[in-house]
Amino acid sequence: LDLTRSHVSATTTDTVPTAAAFTDSVTIRQIPEVAATGEGCAPSLTADEIERYTPGFDEAGMWELTELDLSWITTGAGIMGCGGGGSAYLGWIRSREALRAGKKIKVVNPFDLPEDASIACLAFMGAPAVLAEQLTNGCEMACALEAVQSHQGYTGRRSGYVVPLEIGGANSVEPMLTAAELELPVVDADGMGRAYPTFMQVLWFANGAKITHAGQATFRGDASKHVLVVGSEESVMEVQMSLLAYTVGAGMMSAVALPGLTKQDMVERGPVHTLSQSWRIGRAVALSRSRKQDPVTAVAEVTHGRALIRGKVVRAESATTGGWDKGQVHVVSLDDSPVQSVRVEFQNEMLVAFDTSGLGEDGVAATGGTALAAVPDLIALVDSGSGIAYQTEDIVYGLRVTVLVIPAHPMLTRPEVMPVTGPSMFKYPEDFAECRVSGGPDVTVSVFDEYR
């Protein structure tokens, strides 16, 4: 594995799998009147079947995920991941197999948590391109959590719940798989309401929650456990750099477990019901495709977002350096829309989109242009035909894509957190934040509120 690899894709016409088939074509189990006949069958659901489907809940009121729920969450999380977070598709395959093996993934409403709940957040840290090349062995997050909870310096209670650090790609699906293996519920929440490159953007910590211990592990499992004991005066940035140093030394990818979060952290300091939001986005994609309608328009409607450009990738550049994937994607329009070319810059996640119409050769300009969208708003590249999001490491020449911008969660735009969630954190001018897309409702209607 070349840890200093760089990649420029500008001439090949090879495309990557879009995972288009799994959104509304999955083996359905425990779904009345929509059951598949036989193991391995993959029926395409009709619009009526999708509309009649309702999530199931156990006797304790927890949402018990089916393969259909999981596929919709995976689709939605891929879009909310803004190109980062690792491949959600790989995590979905493994989670689907866990369900088929009899494991259960249960999701709890954060407002139903007991007051003394002890919650651990889980995530992969590093360069998503490495995660695509070095597949996980499935035990990294569990090893990281066990490492920190069994450490002699850890005085907190063992975690009774798991929550994703971010909603995006593998970092939204893999924690659910770990929760299934450990038989722990997953909280319908996350720390960002999207995916971001660093811990600085985790709203729990930006709003006052403390990190006391952190566990790390790599694909080597037990042999790679590492525990960081955090001093009371250490900042989130110092914790980030310590964890990143271990990650780089371990091959640019590690699993991280941060225990000790509380119900107050979930309901007051970070976004809630973001798994529900991902589910709704995935459902909208599946429903539009079953009706042979435009899935991109469906995503824009359910998220209150808008399309910046529909076109073709003509250049993609990326380099894995310092623990992140950094680069640019250039898209040119295939119609007569006012914006004829767009450059999207990313650091794991897509940060800023520029209008480069009339600049450079055929609109391909590595610098310059007018900012069209910027963090904290969500910028995603989705397949124009299927509505499935592309990870930044998967983008190559020739893909037909739509650049979507989605309003950020209101907690990401508060003045006190904008220095870490906004464009200035990534060395862009502060006034880039003025090009934000107008927001939708402040509250996502949860699956619990609508169906339970």
Side-chain angles (χ1 to χ4, degrees), residues 333-396:
S333 177
L334 296 177
D335 56 32
D336 58 356
S337 61
V339 177
Q340 283 295 295
S341 61
V342 166
R343 180 182 75 253
V344 181
E345 299 182 359
F346 62 85
Q347 178 181 325
N348 284 9
E349 287 76 30
M350 298 175 193
L351 302 176
V352 180
F354 295 91
D355 180 358
T356 57
S357 303
L359 300 179
E361 183 178 352
D362 298 325
V364 178
T367 59
T370 303
L372 296 173
V375 289
D377 281 349
L378 288 66
I379 303 171
L381 254 69
V382 301
D383 186 279
S384 294
S386 70
I388 302 298
Y390 285 107
Q391 306 301 117
T392 52
E393 67 268 22
D394 294 333
I395 300 170
V396 295

Side-chain angles (χ1 to χ4, degrees), residues 275-316:
L275 290 177
S276 290
Q277 185 178 5
S278 298
W279 184 89
R280 293 187 182 281
I281 295 172
R283 181 182 182 274
V285 171
L287 189 59
S288 65
R289 289 169 55 192
S290 70
R291 293 171 173 167
K292 302 190 183 305
Q293 297 173 344
D294 178 19
V296 177
T297 298
V299 172
E301 289 176 353
V302 76
T303 60
H304 305 277
R306 61 184 175 88
L308 299 179
I309 189 172
R310 290 175 182 255
K312 170 185 173 181
V313 175
V314 295
R315 189 172 179 85

Side-chain angles (χ1 to χ4, degrees), residues 68-88:
L68 185 60
D69 294 322
L70 194 59
S71 69
W72 289 352
I73 290 172
T74 301
T75 299
I79 293 171
M80 294 181 68
C82 307
S87 172

Side-chain angles (χ1 to χ4, degrees), residues 54-179:
T54 58
F57 300 87
D58 68 8
E59 62 279 0
M62 294 188 191
W63 176 18
E64 191 168 331
L65 300 188
T66 64
E67 290 182 26
L68 185 60
D69 294 322
L70 194 59
S71 69
W72 289 352
I73 290 172
T74 301
T75 299
I79 293 171
M80 294 181 68
C82 307
S87 172
Y89 180 56
L90 295 176
W92 176 78
I93 292 174
R94 295 175 53 239
S95 300
R96 179 193 65 186
E97 295 309 306
L99 291 181
R100 293 182 178 181
K103 300 290 185 180
K104 295 184 182 297
I105 300 177
K106 295 186 177 184
V107 180
V108 62
N109 187 339
F111 295 98
D112 293 341
L113 289 167
E115 295 301 322
D116 62 349
S118 180
I119 307 158
C121 70
L122 304 176
F124 279 114
M125 182 181 197
V130 175
L131 186 60
E133 297 168 355
Q134 172 60 63
L135 301 182
T136 65
N137 64 21
C139 74
E140 292 91 344
M141 290 185 177
C143 284
L145 182 58
E146 178 58 28
V148 67
Q149 292 187 150
S150 61
H151 188 265
Q152 62 180 4
Y154 180 68
T155 59
R157 293 186 297 113
R158 294 188 70 84
S159 301
Y161 301 86
V162 164
V163 66
L165 182 78
E166 63 184 7
I167 287 294
N171 273 342
S172 56
V173 182
E174 292 285 350
M176 293 193 289
L177 176 61
T178 301

Side-chain angles (χ1 to χ4, degrees), residues 203-211 265 269:
L203 292 176
W204 304 316
F205 308 134
N207 289 319
K210 300 298 183 183
I211 304 174
D265 296 329
R269 293 180 172 135

Side-chain angles (χ1 to χ4, degrees), residues 221-262:
D222 288 345
S224 66
K225 289 180 181 179
H226 169 253
V227 175
L228 175 68
V229 180
V230 181
S232 60
E233 301 301 319
E234 287 188 66
S235 67
V236 176
M237 173 64 81
E238 290 172 322
V239 174
Q240 160 84 24
M241 298 312 295
S242 296
L243 296 176
L244 187 61
Y246 172 82
T247 300
V248 172
M252 294 284 191
M253 181 58 62
S254 72
V256 178
L258 304 173
L261 292 169
T262 67

Side-chain angles (χ1 to χ4, degrees), residues 368-446:
T370 303
L372 296 173
V375 289
D377 281 349
L378 288 66
I379 303 171
L381 254 69
V382 301
D383 186 279
S384 294
S386 70
I388 302 298
Y390 285 107
Q391 306 301 117
T392 52
E393 67 268 22
D394 294 333
I395 300 170
V396 295
Y397 174 88
L399 295 177
R400 266 55 174 179
V401 300
T402 300
V403 181
L404 276 175
V405 58
I406 297 170
H409 190 283
M411 294 188 75
L412 288 168
T413 63
R414 292 177 178 176
E416 61 268 28
V417 300
M418 278 293 286
V420 293
T421 63
S424 61
M425 176 67 189
F426 304 98
K427 299 184 177 7
Y428 292 102
E430 289 187 15
D431 59 6
F432 279 18
E434 297 174 3
C435 62
R436 292 193 59 243
V437 65
S438 58
D442 287 349
V443 178
T444 297
V445 178
S446 75

Side-chain angles (χ1 to χ4, degrees), residues 186-224:
V186 182
V187 183
D188 188 1
D190 82 297
M192 299 180 177
R194 50 162 296 158
Y196 264 113
T198 80
F199 284 6
M200 298 292 291
Q201 291 82 42
V202 179
L203 292 176
W204 304 316
F205 308 134
N207 289 319
K210 300 298 183 183
I211 304 174
T212 61
H213 293 75
Q216 288 183 279
T218 72
F219 63 89
R220 298 179 183 87
D222 288 345
S224 66

